[in-house]
Amino acid sequence: MTHPALSDDPNWWRQAAIYQIYPRSFKDSDGDGLGDIRGITSKVDYLASLNLDAVWLSPFYPSALADGGYDVAHYRDVDPRLGTLADFDEMVAALHEAGIRVFVDIVPNHSSNLHEWFQEALASEPGSPARDRYIFRDGLGENGELPPSDWPSHFAPSAWTRTTNSDGTPGQWYLHLFAPEQPDFNWDNPEVHEDFLKTLRFWSDRGVDGFRVDVAHALKKDLSEPFRSKPVFIDFDNPLTGDDVLFDRNDVHDIYRQWRKVFEEYTPPRVAVAEAWVRAERRVLYARPDELGQAFNFDLLLADFDASQFKRIITDNIALAKTEGSSSTWVLSNHDRVRHATKYGLPAGYDLREWLLSNGTKLEVNYVQGLARARAATLLMLALPGSCYLYQGEELGLFEAADIPVDQLQDPIWERNHHTDKGRDGCRVPLPWTADGMSFGFSDGVAHLPQPETFADFAVSSQDGHEGSTLELYRVALGLRRELQSTEDYEWLESPHSGILHFSRANGWQSMTNFGGTAVPLPEAQILLSSSPLVDGLLPEGTTVWLKVER
Ligand code: GLC
């Protein structure tokens, strides 16, 4: 196979296809049931066959896995269970050789409680410089027995945990917006800034091309006392003033302006994408050219399969990204959300948490509809200007594994919510590479999360070379996208039918999706690709077609 060389174009990221690898569940090379770095290297040809521009690796750093690796014990190393730095270098070289760039995940809001700085902080006195790298405070109440504020943790309940002094007496409390094993850094401390600059350079020097910045909106907090109240979190509840207690504060942007200077030390400049759960109007601020450059837009991932929702989201996000000189990003699935094939196979707005809690028995997924719509949504997304972030396994049409036995769940959400939320393991199940054999070819050992029997039908070996399979659809679509894509322009085209989204890109490329209702006729054009077969020449419900119109 011949591969495209990496271009020197500093704008390569503006319309890229980036594939998220969840390393522990991608491919295991040594039989311990955990995916690893050499596993990824062994699948470079597969990744190249998808016609990707880049891969993004979720954390592979040393970690006790209290939160799937988002509890980082060492930022400049590889978890020994996943390999070594030499393995990492080999992987980057192989990916680059195949024309694929590499993003790594940077987790700057919090470390693991096993990080040497946190261990040092615990062993140090209140008020010491070691404690100042994190957020330690005395408790309220007569004996400091109450948490310093009412701030909740994302993984519930309180964001504060009390420490125990070396003599066994109860000590100060520390802040963790996620699990207690994930203490938040104090970004008012210059040492924290310095250390992350060092980490960015460390990976950039090893050839890493980009960074995905975890919870980018949370680093700066209003730590003036008495603490302001924030009794609940609601997605996107920030009031757009930049003065929230915990999220999306205006001063967080100073950090990213500093990071940008590091990115510009390299040729081509390193790139980044912010994970910022804030409203679209504020999200684009993280994507400014002198900051991270791009920000995840999760609006499609949160939307129903609905033409008017999609149209509004697309129109608004492309326009908003432009105002700040960026391009939009698009995401339908990731390691934190129920897979989109499952979501679209359930009624719009359905309570997915409840459904998972019933092990998927509460309502049967309409698999045919779910997969058809997932393929249609993907094809639509891939025709949009901007960058698309794909999540491993979506190219196989994988569904959520809803029935993982509760004693095998790994996500801290399960325990911390007192067994009322099964969490995110269902989308993190190891990939099926072969239709049979141990762990469906993922590992020679037992996979770290159980794989559903139905994975046999979705395995790479079951789809490879099969025309019409989801895998082949992704390959062809991503290849065509690469050929067809030029400017970032697009234009909505009117349709006389309801539930249709039809738009054009440069050079006569068009995409048309039927979100519901009856099958509709297509305009006079060459049919390039269709997410499902046409019916008597008509575009049926839950289908996207790409067209080429000669001018
Ligand atoms: C991000 C990650 C998620 C993780 C959290 C805490 O939202 O995507 O998986 O649990 O940050 O690091």
Side-chain angles (χ1 to χ4, degrees), residues 155-208:
F155 295 160
S158 171
W160 295 97
T161 289
R162 198 166 192 186
T163 60
T164 306
N165 296 323
S166 51
D167 63 2
T169 56
Q172 285 194 301
W173 299 70
Y174 67 90
L175 182 74
H176 53 85
L177 292 184
F178 292 88
E181 296 87 354
Q182 294 168 292
D184 280 40
F185 282 117
N186 171 20
W187 276 90
D188 292 339
N189 181 319
E191 262 191 280
V192 173
H193 288 255
E194 283 309 313
D195 201 61
F196 273 93
L197 297 181
K198 195 169 164 188
T199 297
L200 295 175
R201 288 197 180 96
F202 178 87
W203 293 110
S204 298
D205 289 343
R206 296 199 103 87
V208 161

Short mmCIF file of all heavy atoms in Angstrom, two decimals, residues 155-208:
data_model
loop_
_atom_site.label_atom_id
_atom_site.label_comp_id
_atom_site.label_asym_id
_atom_site.label_seq_id
_atom_site.Cartn_x
_atom_site.Cartn_y
_atom_site.Cartn_z
N PHE A 155 -18.59 13.27 39.18
CA PHE A 155 -18.90 11.86 39.39
C PHE A 155 -19.68 11.66 40.69
O PHE A 155 -19.84 10.54 41.13
CB PHE A 155 -17.60 11.04 39.44
CG PHE A 155 -16.84 11.01 38.13
CD1 PHE A 155 -15.49 10.69 38.10
CD2 PHE A 155 -17.46 11.29 36.93
CE1 PHE A 155 -14.77 10.66 36.90
CE2 PHE A 155 -16.76 11.27 35.73
CZ PHE A 155 -15.42 10.95 35.71
N ALA A 156 -20.11 12.78 41.31
CA ALA A 156 -20.98 12.77 42.48
C ALA A 156 -20.33 12.04 43.67
O ALA A 156 -19.54 11.14 43.46
CB ALA A 156 -22.31 12.12 42.15
N PRO A 157 -20.61 12.37 44.91
CA PRO A 157 -21.38 13.56 45.30
C PRO A 157 -20.47 14.79 45.49
O PRO A 157 -20.45 15.64 44.62
CB PRO A 157 -22.04 13.14 46.60
CG PRO A 157 -21.15 12.05 47.15
CD PRO A 157 -20.44 11.41 46.00
N SER A 158 -19.71 14.91 46.59
CA SER A 158 -18.98 16.15 46.84
C SER A 158 -17.66 16.22 46.08
O SER A 158 -17.03 15.21 45.78
CB SER A 158 -18.68 16.27 48.33
OG SER A 158 -17.81 17.36 48.58
N ALA A 159 -17.22 17.45 45.77
CA ALA A 159 -15.92 17.66 45.11
C ALA A 159 -14.79 17.76 46.14
O ALA A 159 -13.67 18.07 45.77
CB ALA A 159 -15.97 18.91 44.26
N TRP A 160 -15.07 17.54 47.40
CA TRP A 160 -14.03 17.64 48.42
C TRP A 160 -13.85 16.31 49.14
O TRP A 160 -14.83 15.64 49.46
CB TRP A 160 -14.42 18.68 49.48
CG TRP A 160 -14.50 20.09 48.96
CD1 TRP A 160 -15.63 20.74 48.56
CD2 TRP A 160 -13.42 21.01 48.81
NE1 TRP A 160 -15.33 22.02 48.17
CE2 TRP A 160 -13.98 22.22 48.31
CE3 TRP A 160 -12.03 20.95 49.03
CZ2 TRP A 160 -13.20 23.35 48.04
CZ3 TRP A 160 -11.28 22.08 48.76
CH2 TRP A 160 -11.84 23.26 48.27
N THR A 161 -12.61 15.96 49.41
CA THR A 161 -12.33 14.75 50.21
C THR A 161 -11.37 15.16 51.32
O THR A 161 -10.44 15.95 51.10
CB THR A 161 -11.73 13.64 49.33
OG1 THR A 161 -12.77 13.14 48.48
CG2 THR A 161 -11.20 12.47 50.17
N ARG A 162 -11.62 14.61 52.49
CA ARG A 162 -10.79 14.98 53.64
C ARG A 162 -9.56 14.09 53.71
O ARG A 162 -9.63 12.89 53.44
CB ARG A 162 -11.60 14.86 54.94
CG ARG A 162 -10.95 15.63 56.06
CD ARG A 162 -11.84 15.82 57.25
NE ARG A 162 -11.23 16.81 58.14
CZ ARG A 162 -11.69 17.12 59.33
NH1 ARG A 162 -12.80 16.53 59.78
NH2 ARG A 162 -11.09 18.02 60.07
N THR A 163 -8.45 14.68 54.09
CA THR A 163 -7.22 13.90 54.22
C THR A 163 -7.05 13.46 55.68
O THR A 163 -7.76 13.94 56.57
CB THR A 163 -6.00 14.76 53.83
OG1 THR A 163 -5.96 15.89 54.69
CG2 THR A 163 -6.08 15.21 52.39
N THR A 164 -6.13 12.55 55.87
CA THR A 164 -5.80 12.11 57.23
C THR A 164 -4.35 12.50 57.51
O THR A 164 -3.47 12.23 56.68
CB THR A 164 -5.96 10.57 57.31
OG1 THR A 164 -7.28 10.25 56.86
CG2 THR A 164 -5.78 10.06 58.73
N ASN A 165 -4.11 13.12 58.61
CA ASN A 165 -2.74 13.53 58.98
C ASN A 165 -1.91 12.30 59.33
O ASN A 165 -2.44 11.21 59.57
CB ASN A 165 -2.78 14.49 60.17
CG ASN A 165 -3.49 15.78 59.80
OD1 ASN A 165 -3.35 16.27 58.68
ND2 ASN A 165 -4.27 16.31 60.73
N SER A 166 -0.58 12.51 59.38
CA SER A 166 0.31 11.36 59.65
C SER A 166 0.04 10.75 61.03
O SER A 166 0.28 9.56 61.24
CB SER A 166 1.77 11.78 59.51
OG SER A 166 1.99 12.93 60.28
N ASP A 167 -0.50 11.54 61.96
CA ASP A 167 -0.79 10.97 63.30
C ASP A 167 -2.18 10.35 63.37
O ASP A 167 -2.67 10.01 64.45
CB ASP A 167 -0.63 12.06 64.37
CG ASP A 167 -1.63 13.19 64.18
OD1 ASP A 167 -2.46 13.10 63.24
OD2 ASP A 167 -1.59 14.17 64.97
N GLY A 168 -2.83 10.25 62.22
CA GLY A 168 -4.14 9.59 62.20
C GLY A 168 -5.31 10.53 62.42
O GLY A 168 -6.47 10.12 62.27
N THR A 169 -5.06 11.77 62.76
CA THR A 169 -6.17 12.71 62.97
C THR A 169 -6.67 13.23 61.62
O THR A 169 -5.91 13.26 60.64
CB THR A 169 -5.72 13.92 63.83
OG1 THR A 169 -4.59 14.52 63.17
CG2 THR A 169 -5.35 13.50 65.24
N PRO A 170 -7.96 13.64 61.56
CA PRO A 170 -8.46 14.16 60.28
C PRO A 170 -7.79 15.48 59.92
O PRO A 170 -7.51 16.31 60.79
CB PRO A 170 -9.96 14.35 60.53
CG PRO A 170 -10.22 14.09 61.97
CD PRO A 170 -8.97 13.61 62.64
N GLY A 171 -7.51 15.64 58.63
CA GLY A 171 -6.75 16.82 58.20
C GLY A 171 -7.55 17.74 57.30
O GLY A 171 -8.78 17.84 57.41
N GLN A 172 -6.84 18.38 56.37
CA GLN A 172 -7.48 19.32 55.44
C GLN A 172 -8.28 18.56 54.38
O GLN A 172 -8.19 17.34 54.28
CB GLN A 172 -6.40 20.15 54.74
CG GLN A 172 -5.78 21.24 55.60
CD GLN A 172 -4.98 22.21 54.73
OE1 GLN A 172 -4.06 21.80 54.04
NE2 GLN A 172 -5.34 23.49 54.76
N TRP A 173 -9.01 19.31 53.59
CA TRP A 173 -9.76 18.75 52.47
C TRP A 173 -9.06 19.17 51.17
O TRP A 173 -8.43 20.22 51.13
CB TRP A 173 -11.19 19.31 52.45
CG TRP A 173 -12.02 19.00 53.66
CD1 TRP A 173 -11.84 19.50 54.92
CD2 TRP A 173 -13.16 18.14 53.72
NE1 TRP A 173 -12.81 19.01 55.77
CE2 TRP A 173 -13.64 18.18 55.05
CE3 TRP A 173 -13.83 17.35 52.79
CZ2 TRP A 173 -14.76 17.45 55.47
CZ3 TRP A 173 -14.96 16.64 53.20
CH2 TRP A 173 -15.40 16.68 54.53
N TYR A 174 -9.22 18.36 50.13
CA TYR A 174 -8.71 18.79 48.81
C TYR A 174 -9.82 18.68 47.78
O TYR A 174 -10.75 17.88 47.91
CB TYR A 174 -7.47 17.97 48.39
CG TYR A 174 -7.76 16.52 48.11
CD1 TYR A 174 -8.10 16.09 46.82
CD2 TYR A 174 -7.69 15.57 49.12
CE1 TYR A 174 -8.39 14.76 46.55
CE2 TYR A 174 -7.97 14.23 48.86
CZ TYR A 174 -8.32 13.84 47.58
OH TYR A 174 -8.61 12.52 47.33
N LEU A 175 -9.66 19.51 46.74
CA LEU A 175 -10.70 19.61 45.71
C LEU A 175 -10.47 18.62 44.57
O LEU A 175 -9.33 18.46 44.10
CB LEU A 175 -10.70 21.03 45.12
CG LEU A 175 -11.77 21.30 44.05
CD1 LEU A 175 -13.15 21.44 44.70
CD2 LEU A 175 -11.45 22.55 43.24
N HIS A 176 -11.54 17.99 44.13
CA HIS A 176 -11.48 17.12 42.94
C HIS A 176 -12.82 17.23 42.21
O HIS A 176 -13.83 16.76 42.69
CB HIS A 176 -11.19 15.66 43.33
CG HIS A 176 -12.11 15.12 44.37
ND1 HIS A 176 -13.33 14.56 44.06
CD2 HIS A 176 -12.02 15.07 45.72
CE1 HIS A 176 -13.94 14.18 45.18
NE2 HIS A 176 -13.18 14.48 46.20
N LEU A 177 -12.81 17.85 41.05
CA LEU A 177 -14.07 17.99 40.31
C LEU A 177 -14.54 16.66 39.74
O LEU A 177 -15.68 16.52 39.33
CB LEU A 177 -13.94 19.02 39.19
CG LEU A 177 -13.75 20.47 39.63
CD1 LEU A 177 -13.73 21.40 38.42
CD2 LEU A 177 -14.85 20.92 40.59
N PHE A 178 -13.62 15.68 39.73
CA PHE A 178 -14.01 14.34 39.26
C PHE A 178 -13.85 13.37 40.44
O PHE A 178 -14.30 13.70 41.53
CB PHE A 178 -13.20 13.97 38.00
CG PHE A 178 -13.58 14.85 36.83
CD1 PHE A 178 -12.95 16.07 36.60
CD2 PHE A 178 -14.61 14.49 35.98
CE1 PHE A 178 -13.35 16.90 35.56
CE2 PHE A 178 -15.01 15.31 34.94
CZ PHE A 178 -14.37 16.52 34.73
N ALA A 179 -13.20 12.24 40.26
CA ALA A 179 -13.12 11.26 41.36
C ALA A 179 -12.12 11.72 42.44
O ALA A 179 -11.24 12.54 42.15
CB ALA A 179 -12.68 9.92 40.78
N PRO A 180 -12.22 11.21 43.65
CA PRO A 180 -11.26 11.57 44.69
C PRO A 180 -9.82 11.23 44.28
O PRO A 180 -8.88 11.85 44.77
CB PRO A 180 -11.68 10.72 45.89
CG PRO A 180 -13.07 10.32 45.62
CD PRO A 180 -13.26 10.30 44.14
N GLU A 181 -9.68 10.26 43.38
CA GLU A 181 -8.34 9.90 42.89
C GLU A 181 -7.83 10.89 41.85
O GLU A 181 -6.79 10.66 41.24
CB GLU A 181 -8.36 8.49 42.28
CG GLU A 181 -8.67 7.38 43.26
CD GLU A 181 -10.17 7.14 43.42
OE1 GLU A 181 -10.97 7.92 42.85
OE2 GLU A 181 -10.56 6.17 44.11
N GLN A 182 -8.59 11.97 41.61
CA GLN A 182 -8.21 12.97 40.60
C GLN A 182 -8.18 14.38 41.21
O GLN A 182 -9.03 15.22 40.90
CB GLN A 182 -9.21 12.93 39.43
CG GLN A 182 -9.16 11.63 38.64
CD GLN A 182 -10.35 11.51 37.69
OE1 GLN A 182 -11.49 11.38 38.12
NE2 GLN A 182 -10.09 11.55 36.40
N PRO A 183 -7.20 14.66 42.07
CA PRO A 183 -7.13 15.98 42.70
C PRO A 183 -6.87 17.09 41.67
O PRO A 183 -6.03 16.93 40.78
CB PRO A 183 -5.94 15.86 43.66
CG PRO A 183 -5.11 14.73 43.12
CD PRO A 183 -6.07 13.77 42.48
N ASP A 184 -7.60 18.20 41.81
CA ASP A 184 -7.45 19.32 40.87
C ASP A 184 -6.17 20.10 41.16
O ASP A 184 -5.85 20.39 42.32
CB ASP A 184 -8.63 20.30 40.99
CG ASP A 184 -9.85 19.80 40.25
OD1 ASP A 184 -10.12 18.59 40.30
OD2 ASP A 184 -10.54 20.63 39.62
N PHE A 185 -5.48 20.46 40.08
CA PHE A 185 -4.30 21.33 40.21
C PHE A 185 -4.75 22.74 40.55
O PHE A 185 -5.85 23.17 40.20
CB PHE A 185 -3.54 21.40 38.88
CG PHE A 185 -2.68 20.20 38.59
CD1 PHE A 185 -2.93 19.39 37.49
CD2 PHE A 185 -1.58 19.91 39.39
CE1 PHE A 185 -2.12 18.30 37.21
CE2 PHE A 185 -0.76 18.81 39.11
CZ PHE A 185 -1.04 18.01 38.02
N ASN A 186 -3.83 23.47 41.17
CA ASN A 186 -4.04 24.89 41.42
C ASN A 186 -3.36 25.67 40.31
O ASN A 186 -2.13 25.82 40.31
CB ASN A 186 -3.44 25.26 42.78
CG ASN A 186 -3.44 26.75 43.00
OD1 ASN A 186 -4.19 27.48 42.34
ND2 ASN A 186 -2.61 27.22 43.93
N TRP A 187 -4.15 26.15 39.36
CA TRP A 187 -3.57 26.88 38.21
C TRP A 187 -3.22 28.32 38.55
O TRP A 187 -2.90 29.11 37.67
CB TRP A 187 -4.49 26.77 37.00
CG TRP A 187 -4.22 25.48 36.26
CD1 TRP A 187 -4.81 24.27 36.47
CD2 TRP A 187 -3.25 25.27 35.22
NE1 TRP A 187 -4.28 23.32 35.62
CE2 TRP A 187 -3.31 23.92 34.84
CE3 TRP A 187 -2.32 26.09 34.58
CZ2 TRP A 187 -2.50 23.37 33.85
CZ3 TRP A 187 -1.52 25.55 33.59
CH2 TRP A 187 -1.60 24.20 33.23
N ASP A 188 -3.28 28.68 39.83
CA ASP A 188 -2.73 29.97 40.24
C ASP A 188 -1.27 29.80 40.62
O ASP A 188 -0.60 30.77 40.99
CB ASP A 188 -3.51 30.55 41.43
CG ASP A 188 -4.92 30.92 41.03
OD1 ASP A 188 -5.16 31.13 39.82
OD2 ASP A 188 -5.81 30.97 41.91
N ASN A 189 -0.77 28.57 40.56
CA ASN A 189 0.60 28.28 40.96
C ASN A 189 1.51 28.18 39.72
O ASN A 189 1.29 27.35 38.83
CB ASN A 189 0.60 26.94 41.73
CG ASN A 189 1.98 26.55 42.22
OD1 ASN A 189 2.97 26.71 41.52
ND2 ASN A 189 2.03 26.06 43.44
N PRO A 190 2.56 29.02 39.63
CA PRO A 190 3.40 29.05 38.44
C PRO A 190 4.10 27.71 38.14
O PRO A 190 4.35 27.39 36.96
CB PRO A 190 4.46 30.11 38.75
CG PRO A 190 4.06 30.78 40.01
CD PRO A 190 2.96 30.01 40.65
N GLU A 191 4.37 26.93 39.15
CA GLU A 191 5.03 25.63 38.91
C GLU A 191 4.16 24.72 38.05
O GLU A 191 4.65 23.92 37.25
CB GLU A 191 5.25 24.93 40.26
CG GLU A 191 6.64 25.08 40.82
CD GLU A 191 6.81 24.13 41.99
OE1 GLU A 191 6.33 24.46 43.10
OE2 GLU A 191 7.41 23.04 41.79
N VAL A 192 2.85 24.81 38.26
CA VAL A 192 1.92 23.99 37.48
C VAL A 192 2.00 24.40 36.01
O VAL A 192 2.10 23.55 35.11
CB VAL A 192 0.47 24.14 38.04
CG1 VAL A 192 -0.53 23.44 37.14
CG2 VAL A 192 0.40 23.61 39.47
N HIS A 193 2.03 25.71 35.76
CA HIS A 193 2.17 26.20 34.38
C HIS A 193 3.44 25.65 33.75
O HIS A 193 3.42 25.12 32.64
CB HIS A 193 2.23 27.74 34.37
CG HIS A 193 0.93 28.38 34.68
ND1 HIS A 193 0.16 28.98 33.72
CD2 HIS A 193 0.25 28.51 35.84
CE1 HIS A 193 -0.94 29.45 34.28
NE2 HIS A 193 -0.91 29.18 35.57
N GLU A 194 4.54 25.80 34.47
CA GLU A 194 5.84 25.38 33.94
C GLU A 194 5.85 23.90 33.60
O GLU A 194 6.37 23.47 32.58
CB GLU A 194 6.95 25.66 34.97
CG GLU A 194 7.36 27.11 35.06
CD GLU A 194 7.67 27.71 33.70
OE1 GLU A 194 8.40 27.06 32.92
OE2 GLU A 194 7.16 28.80 33.39
N ASP A 195 5.27 23.12 34.48
CA ASP A 195 5.30 21.67 34.28
C ASP A 195 4.52 21.26 33.03
O ASP A 195 4.93 20.37 32.30
CB ASP A 195 4.76 20.96 35.52
CG ASP A 195 5.25 19.53 35.56
OD1 ASP A 195 6.48 19.34 35.62
OD2 ASP A 195 4.41 18.61 35.48
N PHE A 196 3.41 21.92 32.78
CA PHE A 196 2.64 21.55 31.58
C PHE A 196 3.34 22.02 30.31
O PHE A 196 3.27 21.34 29.27
CB PHE A 196 1.18 22.02 31.68
CG PHE A 196 0.36 20.98 32.39
CD1 PHE A 196 0.15 21.05 33.76
CD2 PHE A 196 -0.12 19.87 31.71
CE1 PHE A 196 -0.55 20.04 34.43
CE2 PHE A 196 -0.83 18.87 32.37
CZ PHE A 196 -1.04 18.95 33.73
N LEU A 197 4.04 23.13 30.38
CA LEU A 197 4.81 23.56 29.20
C LEU A 197 5.88 22.52 28.89
O LEU A 197 6.13 22.16 27.74
CB LEU A 197 5.44 24.93 29.44
CG LEU A 197 4.46 26.09 29.67
CD1 LEU A 197 5.21 27.40 29.87
CD2 LEU A 197 3.47 26.22 28.51
N LYS A 198 6.45 22.01 29.95
CA LYS A 198 7.47 20.96 29.79
C LYS A 198 6.85 19.71 29.14
O LYS A 198 7.44 19.09 28.24
CB LYS A 198 8.00 20.64 31.19
CG LYS A 198 9.27 19.87 31.26
CD LYS A 198 9.77 19.88 32.70
CE LYS A 198 10.82 18.80 32.88
NZ LYS A 198 11.22 18.64 34.27
N THR A 199 5.67 19.36 29.59
CA THR A 199 4.98 18.18 29.04
C THR A 199 4.65 18.39 27.56
O THR A 199 4.85 17.49 26.73
CB THR A 199 3.69 17.89 29.84
OG1 THR A 199 4.08 17.57 31.17
CG2 THR A 199 2.90 16.75 29.26
N LEU A 200 4.17 19.59 27.21
CA LEU A 200 3.84 19.86 25.80
C LEU A 200 5.10 19.73 24.93
O LEU A 200 5.05 19.17 23.83
CB LEU A 200 3.24 21.26 25.64
CG LEU A 200 1.89 21.50 26.31
CD1 LEU A 200 1.48 22.97 26.16
CD2 LEU A 200 0.80 20.60 25.71
N ARG A 201 6.21 20.25 25.44
CA ARG A 201 7.46 20.16 24.66
C ARG A 201 7.96 18.72 24.60
O ARG A 201 8.47 18.26 23.58
CB ARG A 201 8.53 21.05 25.28
CG ARG A 201 8.27 22.52 25.08
CD ARG A 201 9.52 23.36 25.32
NE ARG A 201 9.23 24.77 25.12
CZ ARG A 201 8.91 25.62 26.11
NH1 ARG A 201 8.87 25.21 27.37
NH2 ARG A 201 8.63 26.88 25.83
N PHE A 202 7.80 18.01 25.70
CA PHE A 202 8.27 16.62 25.75
C PHE A 202 7.63 15.80 24.62
O PHE A 202 8.31 15.11 23.86
CB PHE A 202 7.91 16.01 27.12
CG PHE A 202 8.30 14.57 27.27
CD1 PHE A 202 9.57 14.23 27.71
CD2 PHE A 202 7.40 13.55 26.98
CE1 PHE A 202 9.93 12.90 27.86
CE2 PHE A 202 7.76 12.21 27.12
CZ PHE A 202 9.02 11.88 27.57
N TRP A 203 6.31 15.90 24.49
CA TRP A 203 5.63 15.10 23.47
C TRP A 203 5.85 15.68 22.08
O TRP A 203 6.00 14.94 21.10
CB TRP A 203 4.15 14.93 23.80
CG TRP A 203 3.96 14.11 25.04
CD1 TRP A 203 3.53 14.55 26.26
CD2 TRP A 203 4.26 12.70 25.21
NE1 TRP A 203 3.53 13.52 27.17
CE2 TRP A 203 3.98 12.37 26.57
CE3 TRP A 203 4.74 11.70 24.37
CZ2 TRP A 203 4.15 11.09 27.08
CZ3 TRP A 203 4.92 10.41 24.88
CH2 TRP A 203 4.62 10.12 26.21
N SER A 204 5.91 17.01 21.99
CA SER A 204 6.17 17.62 20.67
C SER A 204 7.55 17.20 20.17
O SER A 204 7.72 16.89 18.99
CB SER A 204 6.11 19.15 20.76
OG SER A 204 4.83 19.56 21.16
N ASP A 205 8.53 17.16 21.07
CA ASP A 205 9.88 16.74 20.67
C ASP A 205 9.89 15.28 20.20
O ASP A 205 10.75 14.89 19.42
CB ASP A 205 10.86 16.88 21.86
CG ASP A 205 11.16 18.33 22.18
OD1 ASP A 205 10.88 19.20 21.34
OD2 ASP A 205 11.64 18.60 23.30
N ARG A 206 8.96 14.51 20.69
CA ARG A 206 8.88 13.10 20.26
C ARG A 206 8.08 12.95 18.98
O ARG A 206 7.76 11.83 18.57
CB ARG A 206 8.23 12.25 21.35
CG ARG A 206 9.01 12.18 22.65
CD ARG A 206 8.56 11.00 23.48
NE ARG A 206 9.53 9.93 23.41
CZ ARG A 206 10.60 9.82 24.20
NH1 ARG A 206 10.81 10.69 25.13
NH2 ARG A 206 11.44 8.82 24.04
N GLY A 207 7.68 14.07 18.39
CA GLY A 207 7.01 14.00 17.09
C GLY A 207 5.49 14.06 17.16
O GLY A 207 4.82 13.94 16.12
N VAL A 208 4.96 14.27 18.35
CA VAL A 208 3.50 14.39 18.45
C VAL A 208 3.05 15.67 17.75
O VAL A 208 3.68 16.71 17.88
CB VAL A 208 3.09 14.36 19.95
CG1 VAL A 208 1.70 14.93 20.14
CG2 VAL A 208 3.17 12.94 20.47
#
